[in-house]
């Protein structure tokens, strides 16, 4: 081998790499994995001292001596011989394997890396990549086998111990929670991480990996302890410890101690320079993204506890970037949702609020939490029926009290509450401006006007008399009259804007004449049944549509914002 090659040292850089040269070439043989070129500032080995004697240049002499000793190692010589014979082939195989790994085609990368190891058994970089491929395929037996050999052959390399521990940790994480192997695998993972710590006690990563194993097992006190050790691994706390502090937030989230998230944010604040705007925006974005992820899960599961946690992440994000409008909007929305939830129990016990509004608040809160409601349209329609079954003054006072004492609940659907108050106010105005006898029968008036009949036509006179001398004599009839005078004007407005207006009014006129016939035949119950069937059909189509439009436009769910 030494007939064709010489060992040289790159003395022109701070790394002083040892490399091999063909005796007739000026370029070194590159490492097939790293592909790092070496600047050819070359000195041939002279074990007797030569140009660089220990007296003149002890440091360079030491490097040359190490290179000479490397050449004397049988395994190293075997690898160098392989490089001489198969260097180009090895380089090509490594390129292909790395391309497959970048495409996440782990199965295709494995045979390529195995060929590299056949040609160059001592290439630990390729072996490390092979172990990663097995892990991505969850072939844990082979992955662990690879790292057992790596840590045996190169026991002084912290990375291999760290990856060895990661294999045990990922293996444990892939098992079901009740699998009895999990505890043993996590323990073995910690043993390997600790060996990495022995070699590099200043590296925070193995401490953090141990913390993650304890988090996965639900041992949050130990997880926090090791996370704190990760922060102090290099003997100081600085900007580099952000990721560990973010992970401490995750531990608090997993343990349910959400309130401690803000204290972690304050720790991060103490590490940031007031003038470092980019760093503050970065930290704000991290908390914001945490909050988005948690809120998505919370909404998907209608989980108020997770939404409360998300709110605290947004609060922390706002601390770092108070001018970000997206952060402020999401925080305010979640603040309102949580406050509405907390007020709900006292709200439903408030005797000064009509019962229908309790159901509307529950309906709005469910929608805000993205909770599916069975037969939602029918439920919403029934809620409106109950709300408008009482006098307009009761409706108006209820909405006013909700605004004054339960503002977060009002904000869940402020447009809908306002529209209900507006309709009740219009009904009250009509009651105040007209006597019961002079009130128009809105639907009947609309259809007879369409038919060209006068206001004092026979049909209108009969129905007005039926209203005043039959319906108005019972509480049930009074409630129907009240409901009609609240709803009918809205229904008539919708009919007049409908493209099928003439067809609809023809149908109403037909029903009116049928009811008049029943009344003249002394069949008032049949008349009421016929009229109410027609009215409910129109009400379901138009009056309900009116409030559904308001509802859809105003429900304060966070899903309407980008990122949810």
């Amino acid at each position: 081998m030494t007939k064709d090659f010489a060992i040289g040292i790159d003395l022109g850089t701070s790394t002083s790499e040892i490399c091999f040269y063909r005796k007739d070439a000026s370029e070194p043989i590159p490492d097939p994995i790293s592909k790092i070129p070496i600047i050819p500032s070359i000195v041939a080995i002279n074990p007797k001292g030569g140009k660089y004697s220990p007296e003149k240049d002890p440091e360079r002499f030491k490097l040359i001596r190490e290179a000479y000793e490397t050449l004397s190692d049988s395994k190293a010589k075997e690898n160098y011989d392989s490089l001489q014979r198969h260097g180009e082939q090895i380089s090509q195989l490594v390129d292909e394997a790395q391309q497959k790994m970048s495409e996440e085609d782990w199965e295709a990368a494995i045979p390529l890396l195995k060929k590299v190891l056949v040609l160059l058994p001592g290439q630990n970089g390729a072996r490390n990549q092979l172990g990663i491929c097995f892990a991505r395929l969850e072939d844990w037996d082979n992955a662990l086998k690879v790292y057992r050999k790596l840590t045996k052959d190169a026991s002084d390399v912290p990375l291999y111990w760290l990856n060895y521990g990661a294999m045990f940790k990922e293996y444990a994480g892939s098992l079901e929670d009740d699998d009895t192997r999990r505890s043993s695998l996590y323990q073995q993972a910690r043993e390997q991480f600790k060996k990495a710590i022995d070699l590099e006690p200043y590296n925070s990563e193995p401490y953090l990996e141990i913390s993650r194993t304890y988090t996965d097992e639900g041992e949050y006190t130990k997880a926090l302890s090791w996370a704190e050790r990760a922060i102090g691994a290099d003997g100081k706390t600085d900007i580099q410890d952000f990721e560990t502090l973010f992970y401490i937030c995750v531990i608090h989230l997993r343990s349910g101690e959400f309130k401690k998230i803000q204290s972690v944010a304050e720790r991060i604040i103490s590490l940031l320079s007031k003038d470092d705007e980019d760093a503050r925006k970065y930290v704000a974005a991290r908390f914001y993204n945490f909050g988005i992820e948690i809120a998505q899960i919370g909404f998907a599961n209608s989980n108020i506890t997770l939404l409360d946690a998300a709110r605290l992440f947004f609060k922390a994000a706002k601390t770092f970037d108070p001018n970000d409008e997206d952060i402020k909007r999401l925080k305010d929305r979640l603040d309102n949702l949580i406050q509405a939830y907390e007020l709900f129990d006292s709200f439903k016990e408030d005797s000064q609020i009509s019962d229908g509004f309790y159901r509307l608040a529950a309906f709005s809160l469910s929608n805000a939490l993205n909770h599916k409601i069975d037969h939602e349209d029918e439920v919403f329609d029934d809620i409106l029926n109950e709300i408008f079954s009482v006098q307009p003054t009761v409706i108006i006072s209820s909405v006013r009290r909700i605004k004054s004492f339960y503002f977060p609940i009002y904000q869940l659907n402020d447009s809908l509450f306002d529209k209900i108050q507006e309709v009740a106010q219009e009904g009250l105005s009509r009651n105040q401006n007209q006597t019961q006898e002079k009130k128009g029968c809105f639907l009947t008036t609309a259809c007879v006007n369409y038919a060209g009949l006068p206001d004092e036509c026979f049909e209108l006179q009969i129905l007005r008399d039926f209203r005043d001398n039959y319906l108005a004599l019972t509480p049930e009839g009074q409630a129907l009259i009240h409901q009609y005078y609240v709803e009918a004007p809205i229904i008539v407005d919708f009919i007049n804007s409908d493209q099928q207006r003439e067809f609809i009014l023809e149908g109403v006129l037909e029903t009116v004449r049928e009811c008049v016939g029943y009344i003249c035949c002394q069949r008032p119950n049949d008349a009421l049944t016929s009229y109410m069937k027609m009215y409910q059909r129109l009400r379901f189509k138009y009056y309900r549509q009116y409030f559904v439009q308001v509802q859809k436009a105003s429900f304060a769910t966070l899903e309407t914002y980008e990122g949810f």
Side-chain angles (χ1 to χ4, degrees):
M1 172 182 162
T2 54
K3 291 179 180 180
D4 300 316
F5 283 82
I7 288 182
I9 302 174
D10 174 7
L11 299 174
T13 69
S14 60
T15 56
S16 299
E17 298 285 351
I18 299 172
C19 56
F20 279 80
Y21 292 81
R22 297 183 187 277
K23 285 188 174 181
D24 59 350
S26 61
E27 295 295 327
I29 299 173
D31 180 273
I33 300 296
S34 69
K35 303 297 176 62
I36 298 175
I38 306 299
I39 301 172
S41 173
I42 303 304
V43 179
I45 286 182
N46 182 349
K48 295 182 179 180
K51 178 178 178 181
Y52 298 103
S53 66
E55 295 83 8
K56 294 180 179 179
D57 200 333
E59 289 301 318
R60 294 192 177 185
F61 178 84
K62 181 181 178 182
L63 288 169
I64 294 170
R65 189 69 198 180
E66 288 176 357
Y68 180 74
E69 290 171 354
T70 299
L71 183 59
S72 302
D73 182 272
S74 59
K75 287 187 177 180
K77 288 170 66 177
E78 181 182 352
N79 283 333
Y80 296 142
D81 285 336
S82 295
L83 277 175
Q84 177 188 0
R85 294 192 298 270
H86 310 294
E88 292 184 4
Q89 182 183 359
I90 291 171
S91 180
Q92 182 178 350
L93 287 169
V94 168
D95 284 343
E96 292 177 13
Q98 291 180 339
Q99 178 62 35
K100 294 299 182 184
M101 291 178 70
S102 70
E103 296 169 358
E104 298 187 3
D105 190 351
W106 314 110
E107 290 184 352
I110 286 172
L112 295 169
L113 292 168
K114 285 183 175 180
K115 288 179 181 178
V116 171
L117 292 171
V118 169
L119 298 173
L120 193 62
Q123 182 45 261
N124 289 333
R127 197 174 302 279
N128 183 51
Q129 292 179 344
L130 179 63
I132 292 171
C133 290
F134 282 130
R136 295 296 175 266
L137 294 172
E138 296 193 1
D139 185 349
W140 306 114
D141 288 340
N142 276 317
L144 292 171
K145 182 179 178 181
V146 166
Y147 283 103
R148 272 195 295 271
K149 179 170 177 56
L150 265 177
T151 51
K152 179 180 178 181
D153 293 347
S155 60
D156 59 341
V157 179
L159 174 64
Y160 300 153
W161 290 107
L162 187 62
N163 286 356
Y164 195 13
M167 294 304 107
F168 282 111
K169 173 176 166 289
E170 291 181 22
Y171 187 6
S174 70
L175 302 174
E176 297 294 332
D177 290 344
D178 58 354
D179 194 307
T180 56
R181 293 172 292 172
R182 281 169 56 91
S183 178
S184 174
L185 289 169
Y186 279 127
Q187 182 57 39
Q188 290 182 78
R190 289 189 282 269
E191 290 174 4
Q192 316 316 317
F193 293 140
K194 288 176 182 177
K195 289 178 181 177
I197 291 172
D198 290 340
L199 292 168
E200 279 185 345
Y202 51 83
N203 182 4
S204 64
E205 187 59 26
Y207 296 93
L208 194 54
E209 287 297 325
I210 291 175
S211 174
R212 291 186 175 111
T213 65
Y214 282 123
T215 301
D216 289 346
E217 291 191 280
E219 297 190 48
Y220 302 116
T221 301
K222 291 181 179 179
L224 285 170
S225 174
W226 278 94
E228 292 292 349
R229 290 178 68 177
I231 292 174
D234 59 0
K236 57 183 178 180
T237 303
D238 53 29
I239 199 80
Q240 303 302 322
D241 295 309
F242 276 168
E243 292 305 318
T244 303
L245 287 167
F246 284 130
Y247 184 69
I248 288 176
C249 289
V250 173
I251 297 173
H252 289 320
L253 176 64
R254 293 277 296 272
S255 65
E257 296 183 300
F258 307 140
K259 305 300 181 185
K260 292 184 178 180
I261 291 170
Q262 186 61 30
S263 66
V264 178
E266 291 169 2
R267 286 180 68 182
I268 296 176
I269 290 173
S270 68
L271 303 179
L272 286 170
S273 167
K274 292 182 179 180
D275 299 328
D276 195 344
E277 190 68 20
D278 289 340
R280 298 181 77 86
K281 287 184 178 294
Y282 167 74
V283 174
R286 288 300 306 273
F287 274 108
Y288 175 83
N289 289 332
F290 266 129
I292 290 289
E293 291 176 13
I294 297 165
Q296 285 176 329
I297 299 171
F299 279 117
N301 295 280
S302 301
N303 189 316
I304 197 72
T305 303
L306 286 178
L307 292 175
D308 192 21
R311 177 174 67 96
L312 292 173
F313 274 95
F314 290 134
K315 180 180 179 181
K318 187 173 180 290
T319 302
F320 293 103
D321 193 359
N323 298 321
D324 189 297
E325 289 300 320
D326 287 338
I327 294 174
K328 182 178 183 302
R329 183 169 62 249
L330 287 174
K331 177 189 174 296
D332 290 347
R333 289 289 184 178
L334 279 178
D335 280 347
N336 185 79
L337 178 56
I338 301 302
Q339 290 166 14
Y341 181 84
E342 292 170 346
L343 283 171
F344 189 69
D345 286 341
S346 59
F347 177 85
K348 69 181 181 182
E349 298 297 330
D350 194 325
S351 60
Q352 297 184 54
I353 297 174
S354 175
D355 289 345
F357 285 103
Y358 158 62
R359 293 180 63 199
L360 180 60
F363 186 87
S364 299
L365 190 59
S366 294
N367 273 273
L369 288 169
N370 202 31
H371 179 70
K372 178 176 173 55
I373 300 173
D374 292 335
H375 308 294
E376 181 173 338
D377 292 346
E378 291 82 355
V379 171
F380 182 65
D381 192 47
D382 190 56
I383 291 171
L384 292 179
N385 279 340
E386 184 174 3
I387 287 174
F388 284 104
S389 67
V390 300
Q391 293 298 317
T393 52
V394 176
I395 297 171
I396 293 168
S397 65
S398 293
V399 175
R400 287 174 177 170
R401 184 167 180 80
I402 292 168
K403 287 182 181 180
S404 298
F405 295 95
Y406 305 98
F407 192 69
I409 289 176
Y410 164 75
Q411 281 195 310
L412 289 175
N413 206 339
D414 52 358
S415 298
L416 182 57
F417 282 109
D418 288 344
K419 186 56 67 176
I420 289 171
Q421 184 178 7
E422 178 186 326
V423 171
Q425 189 66 55
E426 290 173 356
L428 181 62
S429 297
R430 285 192 295 271
N431 286 341
Q432 292 171 342
N433 295 331
Q434 300 177 14
T435 63
Q436 181 83 1
E437 288 73 25
K438 293 183 179 180
K439 286 181 180 177
C441 185
F442 298 99
L443 275 171
T444 307
T445 300
C447 72
V448 297
N449 286 344
Y450 160 74
L453 301 175
D455 184 62
E456 299 300 323
C457 68
F458 176 72
E459 288 86 353
L460 281 175
Q461 289 185 40
I462 292 296
L463 287 177
R464 286 168 182 164
D465 182 72
F466 178 72
R467 175 196 67 198
D468 297 339
N469 298 305
Y470 181 77
L471 286 180
L473 300 181
T474 65
E476 295 81 3
Q478 292 170 7
L480 284 174
I481 293 170
H482 164 70
Q483 179 183 0
Y484 179 84
Y485 278 103
V486 169
E487 299 172 353
I490 295 172
I491 294 172
V492 170
D493 286 343
F494 269 97
I495 290 174
N496 286 332
S497 62
D498 196 309
Q499 292 181 351
Q500 294 182 311
R501 172 180 175 273
E502 295 182 3
F503 174 77
I504 294 166
L505 291 176
E506 284 283 357
V508 173
L509 183 59
E510 182 179 340
T511 301
V512 165
R513 286 171 172 163
E514 180 181 66
C515 292
V516 169
Y518 284 135
I519 294 169
C520 291
C521 294
Q522 304 297 311
R523 295 167 59 184
N525 289 337
D526 290 338
L528 179 60
T529 299
S530 177
Y531 196 92
M532 289 306 297
K533 282 183 179 179
M534 175 270 295
Y535 177 73
Q536 290 297 344
R537 284 196 302 270
L538 295 174
R539 182 182 184 279
F540 184 81
K541 181 176 182 180
Y542 294 118
Y543 185 69
R544 181 183 162 281
Q545 177 183 341
Y546 171 70
F547 281 100
V548 167
Q549 287 176 352
V550 177
Q551 171 196 356
K552 288 182 178 179
S554 62
F555 268 131
T557 64
L558 292 179
E559 286 184 293
T560 58
Y561 292 94
E562 183 177 358
F564 282 88

